[in-house]
Each structure stands twice: as structure tokens, then as C-alpha cells.
Amino acid sequence: MNEQTRNTRQDDAVTVIGLGPMGQAMTRTLLATGRPVTVWNRTAGRADGVVADGATRAATPGEALDASGLVILSLTDYRAMYDILGDATGSLAGRTLVNLSSDTPDRTREAAAWAEGHGAAFLAGGAMTPAPMVGTEASYVYYSGPGEVMERHRAALAPLGAPRYLGDDPGLAQMMYQAQLALFLTTLSALMHATAMLGTAGMKAEESLPELLAAAGTIGDIMSAGEERPGAALDAGEHPGHLSTVTMMGATADHIVETSTSLGLDLALPLAVRAHYRHAIEDGHGSDNWTRIIDRIRAPR
């Protein structure tokens, strides 16, 4: 292989480190584009399936880094990046690390500085899709970090999901990822709480969940009803109470706590929700729209 051919292969190649369900799905998606993909995982056996599909197994993290200019990390957290790459920092120079692992925005910024200190470019990412949906039209990924680095690798990353670039600050993608998961996890807990409530009346989950999921699917429409620019009123500090008020929603929150108590259910979630409305009422905002609860969320005391 001549030098020109080798460099072309290097430019096209991608390395994936971390082969949980997401890492495996991303590897197979990249292989389907025809790119050479090198993989490494601490539990070597997890690579067997994607190697059978055409990926190349690296023996060490250093070998995995050396194989490609673009390195995607799909790990439990950012600590795992240091654990895996800490002895291979000599191979980081000239590489671009795209870390799609979950952690805090501050740790993400620290990781970006660490990578740049070893001569690597760094993009943070948050994949907003489960593994089976990677590479589908429904898949999208938030990214942040240097804009020129994003543009350089946009085409290579696009098959994983539509790239949504948020800006230069590497913490932004992680912030959006955590915000989305805050919404997602809270919704999941609410779905299970509601299912448990209905279960005490003898309704099986197979009956109740379709109704609850349909209701959850209308939240976006409800939030956007009558709003040309959803969120603009919040930005302006406006909370008109002509359609719903803190007091009205707070009364509903009280009833949910009372019902859950009578049914013997865990109260952690309904008590947390009720507290938001009680705080807004204590602050004198009972006649404002329910969105006023954001004040104490922003500045708890």
C-alpha cells in the first residue's frame, strides 16, 4: 500500500471504543457506509459480533487510536475515557475524539481540555436515540465543540443520526443531553406511577399504558397551543394565567398526593411536583400561569 493510499484509508477510517449496545449499533451503522471501522472494548468478547460483520479488532487502546483519525467513545462516563486512554496519550496527537458518553457539563469541559492538552481535537455529543434506532431517520445527535472540527467530521458522523450542532462550548451538548434525559426519566417515572395508580383499581398495564402513552404524546401540542414561539413568554418573564393558574394546578397536585397516599404508593414523585406549586403560591404567584414554578427551580431556597 503506497503512502497516498494509506493516508486516504486513515482519513476514511473510524475507531469506536466501547461496545455496549450503542457502540455496537454505531459500529454496524458505520460499516454499512463502507468506512473501515476499528473497535476496542475492555471485555474483548463484546467485539466478536461486529468483527464478524467486518470491523477490525484492536489489541490495545493505543492500536485503536492509531488506526483512525476519528475516534468515537461510547462509554459509561468520562472517567472511563481516562481509564482506557490514560496509557495511550502518546497516540492522541492529531486525532479527533468524539465522546458520546454521559456525564456532567463540567466534566465534559475538563475532558476537552485534557484531550486538547495531548494534541487531540474534541467534540462532545449526546445521542438522543436508543440503540435499535441508531442510523434511522428518527435518530439525531447533539454536538458541541470547535465549529471547524464539527464541519470536518459532519459527513462521517451523519450516518449515526442527524447532527445538531449547538456551539463551541463542549459542555453544551452534554447540557442538552442531560436536559433531555431529565425530561425523559421524569416522564418514565410518571408513567410508572400512573400505571401503579390504575393497577390498584384492577386495570392491567396492558390496558392502561396505551391510554397513558397517548396522553403523554399530547403534551407538546398542549404546550404549543396558542403559542407562535413556544418559550418566548418564559424568556420574557411573562406568565399569563388566563388559561391555567398555579393555584388550579396546585390543587390537582394536592389531589394526586392524597390519592397516592390512600393507595399506599410511593410519594416521592407527587410530593416533589406538589412542592413546585406550593412554593409558587408561597411567593405570591397563585394567579399566574403554572409556568411560574420555574422561578424556584431556577433559584431554590
Side-chain angles (χ1 to χ4, degrees):
M1 181 182 297
N2 61 39
E3 185 68 13
Q4 182 178 357
T5 303
R6 187 187 69 80
N7 288 338
T8 300
R9 179 178 175 84
Q10 180 81 0
D11 289 343
D12 289 344
V14 181
T15 286
V16 177
I17 294 178
L19 294 172
M22 283 296 289
Q24 293 182 35
M26 289 190 291
T27 299
R28 290 190 170 97
T29 299
L30 291 167
L31 285 170
T33 70
R35 290 180 179 272
V37 182
T38 297
V39 296
W40 185 89
N41 193 76
R42 279 189 281 199
T43 303
R46 283 194 177 181
D48 292 348
V50 293
V51 169
D53 290 337
T56 299
R57 190 197 312 264
T60 66
E63 184 178 312
L65 292 175
D66 290 340
S68 311
L70 178 62
V71 180
I72 297 172
L73 305 172
S74 179
L75 305 168
T76 303
D77 52 27
Y78 273 53
R79 179 71 256 169
M81 179 185 72
Y82 301 124
D83 292 343
I84 291 169
L85 302 184
D87 292 332
T89 55
S91 294
L92 286 173
R95 303 291 182 268
T96 295
L97 297 184
V98 180
N99 198 327
L100 301 182
S101 312
S102 174
D103 216 308
T104 68
D106 285 344
R107 292 196 188 105
T108 302
R109 295 182 182 106
E110 292 168 2
W114 175 84
E116 290 162 6
H118 290 290
F122 187 92
L123 290 174
M128 306 309 305
T129 181
M133 293 173 64
V134 169
T136 68
E137 291 185 359
S139 179
Y140 59 98
V141 184
Y142 290 108
Y143 294 99
S144 62
E148 67 276 11
V149 178
M150 179 72 241
E151 291 312 309
R152 188 188 317 147
H153 297 292
R154 180 181 290 272
L157 295 169
L160 303 179
R164 298 187 182 180
Y165 177 66
L166 299 177
D168 288 343
D169 177 1
L172 282 174
Q174 195 67 252
M175 190 80 78
M176 178 62 82
Y177 181 71
Q178 298 300 336
Q180 295 268 9
L181 287 181
L183 174 65
F184 182 62
L185 293 180
T186 305
T187 303
L188 293 184
S189 291
L191 282 170
M192 291 302 97
H193 190 93
T195 301
M197 289 178 71
L198 292 168
T200 65
M203 186 174 288
K204 294 183 180 299
E206 190 174 2
E207 302 172 85
S208 61
L209 264 179
E211 296 293 325
L212 296 170
L213 290 169
T218 66
I219 293 174
D221 291 336
I222 292 171
M223 288 287 296
S224 300
E227 297 278 349
E228 290 185 10
R229 295 179 297 137
L234 270 176
D235 289 335
E238 299 171 355
H239 306 276
H242 61 289
L243 294 178
S244 64
T245 67
V246 168
T247 297
M248 181 183 76
M249 300 290 270
T252 300
D254 286 337
H255 299 154
I256 294 169
V257 170
E258 292 167 6
T259 300
S260 299
T261 300
S262 71
L263 298 176
L265 302 179
D266 179 77
L267 299 179
L269 181 61
L271 285 176
V273 172
R274 185 176 74 174
H276 289 155
Y277 294 95
R278 290 198 168 182
H279 289 155
I281 291 170
E282 290 168 6
D283 292 339
H285 300 305
S287 62
D288 287 351
N289 187 48
W290 67 269
T291 52
R292 179 61 78 171
I293 67 174
I294 198 171
D295 289 357
R296 284 281 198 109
I297 294 172
R298 283 172 169 162
R301 57 181 188 270

